[in-house]
Structures are given as structure tokens and as C-alpha cells.
Amino acid sequence: MPPATHRVRVCRLHEFPPGTVRRLNTLPPVAVFNVAGRLYAIDDICSHDYALLSEGHFDGTSLECPVHMSRFDVRNGEPLCLPATEPLRTHRVEVTGDEVAVHIDIGRLL
Ligand code: FES
């Protein structure tokens, strides 16, 4: 059985330049990143403790948590340094013409 997802529109692609992030006030909160023209979506809550990762520093493919400074790879959600040890969930990004949408995995909420 495929995971339960909810499709959420993010923005227009031409309004989402490389090196930027879009935060979705969804449940769960999700952040979408433009890495050199490729788009990635991960949970926006740090896997270590409560922090909105989209408020952290995003550089290249790396995102630094604003609370305890763990870094994550936004392409796969993997932690790159302590104190976080658990990966972030990833979500499928869809681009249709100029529209960007994310299929948020809500399986854990059901
Ligand atoms: S809350 Fe992100 S590293 Fe602790």
C-alpha cells in the first residue's frame, strides 16, 4: 500500500530561485529547498528537538538547525553532525509547468 500523502501547492517555479527555501505551514510543517535548480522537501521540525529548520542557515545542500547547530543534507534528510542522529523525512516534489507542489507524507499522522 503506498504511503498516504496530501498534495500542497508551494509556489510558482519562477518565483523560487536557486539557494532559497519555502516554508509550508502544514501538518507536519515542511520546508522545500531549491538546490541549483533541483527541488527537495523535508520535514521542517528538527529530529533532535523542537526547532523550525527553515529558520536555520541554508548553504548549498546543507541546512543548519538554529537551536543546537546540527546540520542536515536537504537532499535526503540525513544528519551530517551531532547532536541530531535521526534523519528527517523527505517528501516528493512535483513540478508541473510553472507550478511547484509537494506530496506530504502524512502516514505517521493516520
Ligand atoms: S533542535 Fe536541532 S539540533 Fe537540537
Side-chain angles (χ1 to χ4, degrees), residues 2 11 13 16 18 20-21 28 35 42-43 49-50 56 59 64 68-69 79-81 88 99-100 103 105:
C11 65
L13 183 59
F16 192 9
T20 62
V21 57
V35 177
I42 57 176
D43 278 351
D49 203 344
Y50 189 85
D59 185 18
E64 184 179 74
H68 301 121
M69 315 309 177
L80 301 172
C81 66
L88 304 163
E99 181 181 271
V100 179
H103 293 262
D105 179 355

Side-chain angles (χ1 to χ4, degrees), residues 10-12 15-17 20-24 30-33 54:
V10 178
C11 65
R12 297 284 180 199
E15 298 170 342
F16 192 9
T20 62
V21 57
R22 291 284 188 272
R23 182 163 83 195
L24 302 179
V30 167
V32 187
F33 299 86
S54 58

Side-chain angles (χ1 to χ4, degrees), residues 45-51 53 64-72 81-84:
I45 303 295
C46 186
S47 63
H48 174 244
D49 203 344
Y50 189 85
L53 290 169
E64 184 179 74
C65 175
V67 175
H68 301 121
M69 315 309 177
S70 276
R71 286 182 293 108
F72 295 89
C81 66
L82 296 172

